[in-house]
Amino acid sequence: MFQNTVKNWHLLITIIAVTFSISYIFNQFLLTRDIYYNTFQSQLESARIDELFDLQLKYLWIGYLVIPVWITLKNLIITLCLQIGLLLNNSKLKFSHTFRIALTAEFVFLLPQLIKLIWFLLVKTNYTLTDVQQFYPLSALNLFNIENLSALSIYPFQTFNLFEIMYWIILAGGIKQALNTDINKGIKVVFSGYIPALALWLLCVMFITVSLSPAT
Amino acid sequence: MKNKLILVLGLIALGLGCLLAYKIAKKYPHNKEMALQKQTLPNFQLYSQNLKPFSAKQLKENEAICIFYYNAECEHCQYEATQINKQLTLFKNVQIVMISTNKPQETANFAKTYKLDKAGLIWLYDKDYAFYKWFGKSVTPSVYIYNAEHKLVKEYTGEVKIEAVIKYLDNGKEG
């Protein structure tokens, strides 16, 4: 799975292309003018909702532009975290090889995006923008009633999901394979490199939420 | 060399993590306290346009209050001011309190531009940027609707149509 049969940039382009396609379908078929009306009609005048929707359409390209930058940057940072984890465990792996492991594991995060797309296209067809923002399949968030949760806990509960755990396992498996060692070593690298960085990221998001959102 | 670098990075990350956790633990209960505080009209202390102190106690009892927190420069606030002017009659027996950090001259210009200067609104000056002390963090525009018992019936963050405000003023009266 982590052998050099496919080049890193092939993996990167594939992830970007699939994410781009999912985003395009989302914007075309799910984030429609009607959904904007569903979301804002209790607070805004119709003309203002139209203005808001048109503005969103006008700047949609920025969102598409962000996709490759975000995916590349995220995987580079994760590679760096794994490199730190490797160093802490007295192991060495080439940066490009670690990057490949991160990119391969990244494919797992395409699944929740696809499930989300199918969920709103076929199952929950009457929804608001908030529903779309808050939905994360097979996450801890699904165990609670969102209305009873504070804004502060939504993102951590979304982040703790089955795909995230699969991601850790794939990362650990990749490291195990690359180092030709046992899975424990891989798990140690993930837990000493990636997990602390994820915890720090969660704290950053929670801090921004508690600072900006009046109703936390 | 590499070990030292990792140690420094680890310490920075740990320090940042502890700082963020401390800030979150401090801010979260404060936000909750603020949310609770404004459920009943807080006794705010602001200034009238002639810079005389004005407190919430000077507002009429047994009459609903609609507080618009705005800024004269904000496009959404300007839109809301236009809407208030168009539907002023709907605010019968309601004290409309307009609060902003704008200086009296800017407020006078704003009121005149949107023909609200002779509408009987109460214009208050948040000279010390102290609004957050009573209502927590607020963006402009924000609307706080209090019923005749001065209990908060609805709070809107961001632009809101006047019909949505009136709906809650009516609910407040019924309640």
Side-chain angles (χ1 to χ4, degrees):
Chain A
M1 175 165 57
F2 304 99
Q3 310 276 304
N4 285 334
T5 45
V6 184
K7 287 195 165 76
N8 281 1
W9 68 269
H10 286 157
L11 291 172
L12 185 64
I13 298 261
T14 310
I15 296 165
I16 290 170
V18 176
T19 309
F20 193 90
S21 308
I22 293 171
S23 295
Y24 180 79
I25 299 170
F26 239 102
N27 289 327
Q28 287 298 310
F29 300 103
L30 291 175
L31 305 182
T32 58
R33 197 178 290 270
D34 284 349
I35 299 310
Y36 269 68
Y37 270 86
N38 262 3
T39 310
F40 299 112
Q41 66 185 354
S42 63
Q43 186 166 342
L44 297 177
E45 303 270 359
S46 302
R48 299 296 272 183
I49 300 173
D50 286 335
E51 277 178 33
L52 192 68
F53 183 74
D54 293 339
L55 196 73
Q56 181 265 144
L57 277 186
K58 193 178 165 189
Y59 292 107
L60 210 56
W61 62 273
I62 296 175
Y64 291 127
L65 213 65
V66 167
I67 291 172
V69 179
W70 169 247
I71 291 173
T72 312
L73 202 66
K74 180 191 165 192
N75 282 285
L76 283 173
I77 292 169
I78 288 166
T79 307
L80 264 175
C81 294
L82 291 175
Q83 284 279 317
I84 291 171
L86 284 160
L87 275 170
L88 285 172
N89 286 279
N90 300 315
S91 302
K92 263 189 175 178
L93 198 59
K94 275 173 75 181
F95 190 89
S96 61
H97 203 145
T98 321
F99 189 50
R100 167 182 297 272
I101 294 168
L103 285 174
T104 311
E106 184 68 26
F107 276 89
V108 86
F109 288 132
L110 296 176
L111 289 172
Q113 289 185 53
L114 277 169
I115 295 172
K116 192 171 178 173
L117 188 69
I118 293 165
W119 179 261
F120 287 107
L121 268 177
L122 304 173
V123 184
K124 190 176 166 72
T125 48
N126 189 19
Y127 54 90
T128 64
L129 286 178
T130 316
D131 295 329
V132 174
Q133 282 161 3
Q134 292 180 339
F135 179 76
Y136 203 102
L138 302 173
S139 70
L141 193 64
N142 298 317
L143 303 173
F144 302 92
N145 183 354
I146 294 179
E147 283 167 18
N148 299 333
L149 287 178
S150 70
L152 191 65
S153 51
I154 289 176
Y155 187 71
F157 282 155
Q158 276 182 333
T159 306
F160 194 69
N161 61 71
L162 202 68
F163 305 100
E164 182 66 43
I165 294 165
M166 281 164 69
Y167 181 74
W168 300 352
I169 295 167
I170 298 170
L171 286 181
I175 288 158
K176 174 212 160 226
Q177 201 182 53
L179 294 176
N180 200 17
T181 176
D182 60 291
I183 191 76
N184 283 344
K185 184 87 169 180
I187 292 170
K188 273 185 193 168
V189 170
V190 172
F191 271 77
S192 51
Y194 172 71
I195 304 287
L198 178 68
L200 192 61
W201 169 251
L202 280 178
L203 281 172
C204 287
V205 174
M206 286 169 79
F207 174 72
I208 293 167
T209 310
V210 84
S211 302
L212 297 181
S213 165
T216 45
Chain B
M1 181 64 191
K2 264 184 182 172
N3 286 348
K4 273 187 186 171
L5 189 70
I6 291 170
L7 188 72
V8 171
L9 275 175
L11 284 174
I12 291 172
L14 188 70
L16 183 64
C18 290
L19 179 73
L20 289 173
Y22 170 74
K23 290 271 183 192
I24 294 164
K26 209 172 142 188
K27 276 172 187 269
Y28 181 64
H30 175 74
N31 286 1
K32 288 199 102 171
E33 194 185 311
M34 279 293 165
L36 197 67
Q37 178 180 286
K38 64 187 169 193
Q39 293 307 307
T40 305
L41 182 71
N43 187 24
F44 57 76
Q45 313 276 327
L46 297 163
Y47 295 88
S48 61
Q49 295 305 303
N50 53 14
L51 301 182
K52 284 189 179 157
F54 186 103
S55 82
K57 284 185 178 162
Q58 288 171 254
L59 293 167
K60 282 182 212 160
E61 285 180 21
N62 303 318
E63 200 171 280
I65 297 166
C66 196
I67 297 173
F68 287 89
Y69 184 60
Y70 76 100
N71 187 293
E73 299 292 316
C74 139
E75 192 264 336
H76 299 283
C77 306
Q78 293 164 359
Y79 181 83
E80 244 170 40
T82 314
Q83 297 305 306
I84 296 171
N85 172 261
K86 276 184 190 168
Q87 301 179 73
L88 208 53
T89 50
L90 297 174
F91 286 95
K92 204 181 167 192
N93 298 325
V94 175
Q95 302 172 81
I96 304 178
V97 183
M98 306 290 287
I99 302 176
S100 99
T101 52
N102 294 132
K103 290 186 176 121
Q105 188 54 53
E106 292 165 331
T107 300
N109 292 342
F110 181 78
K112 202 173 175 187
T113 306
Y114 297 97
K115 299 185 180 80
L116 293 171
D117 50 339
K118 293 181 180 89
L121 276 55
I122 299 163
W123 298 86
L124 299 180
Y125 179 23
D126 180 15
K127 187 162 76 81
D128 306 319
Y129 291 80
F131 189 77
Y132 75 94
K133 287 184 191 169
W134 300 287
F135 294 90
K137 289 181 292 278
S138 303
V139 296
T140 52
S142 287
V143 183
Y144 303 85
I145 305 162
Y146 288 91
N147 65 13
E149 286 81 42
H150 293 184
K151 300 282 180 203
L152 185 70
V153 285
K154 182 69 182 171
E155 172 183 349
Y156 284 108
T157 301
E159 187 184 305
V160 58
K161 59 182 176 186
I162 299 306
E163 290 91 334
V165 175
I166 297 299
K167 186 177 96 178
Y168 282 95
L169 281 169
D170 289 343
N171 285 350
K173 278 175 202 167
E174 282 161 18

